Every structure is written in structure tokens, then in C-alpha cells.
Amino acid sequence: MKQRLKFLLKHSLSLSDFLQKAKLLNIEVDTSGKYTTYRLTDFEQKRPIRDSSLISKEDKKRMEAHPEKRIFSKEEIERRCEKNVQNNSIVFGPSEIYNEYQKQQKWYKENTNIRLIIEPWQIVRQSETGIYLSIQAGHRTGTIKILNQYLDKVGEDFEIYLNSYSKFTFLDDKNKKESLQVYGRDIIAQLSQENERVPARKNYGMNYVHDLFEATNLLSRHGISGKESFKHLGEEFIANMEKVELALEQLDKKIIVQTEEIKFNQGNPQLIEKLKQLQNERKSLESAYKELTDELEIYDQIEDLQAQKQERQVSQEKENQPHARR
């Protein structure tokens, strides 16, 4: 639900535009009450969900003082649409919205971010459609099935490709009816601990780079490119760029820590392999990000926008301060 709504917020220019496109993404929206409610029509969702239930726990605590945290409320949808218009945002039309959303989701699904070698002894059994692995969920032991689409055969081993937040059904060994969902990251953590192999990771920042490229590709379809792109991209684009830069900084810190560890454990092949993986992760992210920034040539404009943003924040803070007594 949140993925679809965030996509719609990027690609709507008015409330009516948002509502029309929501129907095309199989979302039923009701803006008549105190809260805006949503229901997916292509999933088994018995009751509509309030916009206030679609935000984080931290934001819920701040919601009374900061109603703008309810980003899916009617008022905030209208405000976001107005901002899109003011920023000259280029958006997908009703005829494009469904296919473009499916294309985005397909990219996220295919571009898995964790890779790990699975050894034959870790496989409980194999079928025509995939392999079954033994894992633990809390104190319970059971199995999960990994379909062939997430696997490659590497000699006698298998290489498994998963996303951190992909969900897999866990079947309890003692009671098959008591199944639950486990995340890809937890599966990888257990399997890598068992066989002492280091998982290869694609940094989460790549998702932001992908979104940045998609934004510029949309502009190029409308004949807008290079420096001219900047005035159409807006603050969200800059925020995504900042997230990529933060991801690079975090990788630098991890590399420094890992290098220090190796100094005292030079004979540990796992530590050395982990350092190589971190270096490769950073190299891939930096290369993709540089390709984008070189193409846009917008660093001067970015600095101008950030300066303007800071000036507005300072001005707003002064307005919100209580007047000093004379």
C-alpha cells in the first residue's frame, strides 16, 4: 500500500489526479471523513486502513504537533500536489501510471541486494521448482522453500539471491499449520553463520540511484536534459542524492573499521573477504552515482537549492519562536 501511495504522490498534480490514478493502481480511497482511508482492491483486505496507520511509530508520536507527518492525509496529498505543480514536476499520466509502477516493482524484485553460496549439506531436499532449507524462527525449527528464480547452480553448490525485506513462508517441523513469514535478511544471516561464507551485498543506496535515473529518464522523454533538468527535479531529488552520499560515507566508515580488524587478525580469510565485499559494494555504488552526476552537471544548482532551503528553515524557525518580552 505505502509503495503505491508514495509512487502516486510523486506523479500527481491535484487531488482529483491522485484519486483517478489510485483507481488505476487498484486502491480505493475515501477522503470524506476525518481520516483518509485506503483499501487495496486486488488483495484480500477486509477493512480500509486510515492514513494515520500508514506512518512510522515515531511519526505517530509527533503527529499532534506535526500533522504534516500524516503524508497520506487528504490535506497533505493536496499540499504535495501543489508542490509538484510549483516545481514544474513532470509526472506519469493515467495511461502510463500502471505500467510504470509495475516496471519499478519489477526492477526492485530483480535487483536483489544479498547473494550467498549455499552448500549441499544445507539443503534438506530439492524439487523441480526449488530447494528446501532448514532454519530457525525463534525457538522453532522448520523449513523454507527457495524457488529456482532466486537460485543459480555453481558447481555442487547453489548461489541464492534475496532481498532483505522479501518474505518467505516458514513451515514449523512440529506443526505444519503454524506457518509464519521470515525475512530474506534473517535467512541469509542464519545460512551464512552455518557455512561461514560471507554474503555479497548490493548497497541500499542503489535503490536511490535507480530512482534518480528514473526521474531523469522521465524528463528526457519530454525533451528535457542536462542542466535544464534541474528546475524540474525538485527537493525530493536532492534528498535522494543526499541519501546516496550518506550511504557512501557509511561504507567508508565500515571499511575503516574492517581494515582495523584485519590488522589484528591477518590470517582470518572471512574478515579479508568481508573487506573485499565492502570495497566492491562502495565501488559499484560510487560508479553508478558518478555516472548520474556527470550526466546532469548540477552541483552548482544543488548548492544554491540547499542554501535556499536553509534560509527558509531559519526564517520559519524565527517565525515560530515566541516574541521576546520588552
Side-chain angles (χ1 to χ4, degrees):
M1 175 76 81
K2 288 171 75 172
Q3 287 177 340
R4 295 187 197 188
L5 292 177
K6 285 181 178 179
F7 189 77
L8 287 170
L9 286 176
K10 282 184 181 179
H11 294 287
S12 299
L13 298 175
S14 66
L15 178 62
S16 60
D17 189 33
F18 178 92
L19 295 175
Q20 180 189 9
K21 290 171 181 175
K23 284 184 182 178
L24 297 171
L25 290 189
N26 299 304
I27 304 173
E28 190 178 85
V29 187
D30 184 356
T31 61
S32 62
K34 178 181 177 182
Y35 295 96
T36 300
T37 62
Y38 300 93
R39 189 175 72 85
L40 293 175
T41 57
D42 57 344
F43 276 84
E44 190 177 338
Q45 184 184 334
K46 294 179 181 178
R47 295 180 182 177
I49 186 170
R50 289 179 173 183
D51 66 81
S52 58
S53 298
L54 290 169
I55 60 176
S56 69
K57 290 181 180 178
E58 288 183 6
D59 284 344
K60 279 184 182 180
K61 292 177 185 176
R62 298 193 290 266
M63 203 166 61
E64 293 298 323
H66 299 278
E68 71 275 8
K69 294 295 180 184
R70 287 172 48 205
I71 62 171
F72 304 122
S73 67
K74 177 185 174 182
E75 295 75 19
E76 288 306 310
I77 293 169
E78 289 175 326
R79 191 174 301 178
R80 174 58 191 267
C81 289
E82 286 173 14
K83 185 184 281 190
N84 287 345
V85 172
Q86 289 169 4
N87 289 342
N88 300 309
S89 299
I90 305 296
V91 303
F92 293 125
S95 62
E96 304 171 287
I97 199 78
Y98 180 81
N99 287 337
E100 292 298 334
Y101 176 76
Q102 294 302 324
K103 190 189 298 182
Q104 181 204 69
Q105 293 304 299
K106 184 172 183 285
W107 186 90
Y108 286 136
K109 184 176 180 181
E110 290 177 351
N111 284 267
T112 51
N113 68 342
I114 316 177
R115 208 167 68 244
L116 180 71
I117 294 291
I118 302 296
E119 298 175 7
W121 60 268
Q122 292 180 286
I123 299 170
V124 175
R125 63 189 175 90
Q126 187 174 349
S127 70
E128 290 183 2
T129 55
I131 60 174
Y132 291 81
L133 304 170
S134 177
I135 65 164
Q136 283 192 310
H139 299 292
R140 297 159 61 183
T141 303
T143 57
I144 57 160
K145 183 179 181 181
I146 306 294
L147 296 173
N148 288 334
Q149 68 192 70
Y150 301 108
L151 300 168
D152 272 340
K153 195 80 167 65
V154 183
E156 294 298 314
D157 303 325
F158 281 95
E159 192 163 33
I160 183 173
Y161 301 83
L162 299 181
N163 277 316
S164 297
Y165 294 99
S166 295
K167 291 181 180 179
F168 294 83
T169 301
F170 169 88
L171 298 175
D172 191 298
D173 285 344
K174 293 182 179 178
N175 188 348
K176 299 294 184 186
K177 292 181 180 179
E178 291 191 23
S179 63
L180 51 86
Q181 300 292 310
V182 290
Y183 287 109
R185 63 171 185 263
D186 299 322
I187 294 168
I188 291 288
Q190 287 191 44
L191 296 172
S192 63
Q193 191 173 16
E194 285 177 359
N195 65 18
E196 298 185 344
R197 289 181 180 262
V198 179
R201 299 177 186 273
K202 184 182 289 183
N203 192 269
Y204 72 90
M206 276 297 190
N207 288 344
Y208 294 118
V209 173
H210 169 73
D211 290 346
L212 294 169
F213 270 114
E214 286 298 294
T216 56
N217 287 340
L218 176 57
L219 293 181
S220 68
R221 289 190 209 176
H222 292 79
I224 302 166
S225 60
K227 293 184 179 181
E228 181 66 16
S229 303
F230 182 74
K231 65 183 180 184
H232 297 274
L233 294 171
E235 291 181 11
E236 186 171 345
F237 185 87
I238 303 306
N240 281 342
M241 293 186 79
E242 289 170 350
K243 287 171 184 174
V244 178
E245 288 167 0
L246 178 61
L248 288 167
E249 288 175 14
Q250 290 173 338
L251 281 170
D252 286 336
K253 291 175 182 176
K254 287 181 181 180
I255 289 170
I256 291 169
V257 170
Q258 194 65 24
T259 303
E260 288 299 312
E261 270 197 71
I262 290 173
K263 285 182 182 178
F264 301 101
N265 296 276
Q266 294 185 10
N268 189 320
Q270 279 185 286
L271 292 179
I272 295 169
E273 180 60 27
K274 189 175 179 180
L275 177 61
K276 287 180 182 177
Q277 296 287 7
L278 286 169
Q279 290 169 334
N280 289 336
E281 192 177 328
R282 194 197 188 287
K283 184 179 179 182
S284 298
L285 181 59
E286 183 182 33
S287 175
Y289 185 52
K290 188 174 184 302
E291 183 182 344
L292 175 78
T293 53
D294 285 353
E295 181 182 330
L296 288 175
E297 299 175 341
I298 59 175
Y299 273 114
D300 290 341
Q301 294 97 320
I302 290 171
E303 289 175 6
D304 290 342
L305 180 68
Q306 289 172 333
Q308 291 170 21
K309 186 178 176 182
Q310 287 175 352
E311 285 175 14
R312 286 198 301 272
Q313 286 175 342
V314 170
S315 176
Q316 192 172 8
E317 285 171 6
K318 286 180 180 178
E319 289 176 9
N320 294 334
Q321 286 177 355
H323 294 294
R325 291 181 181 178
R326 293 181 181 179

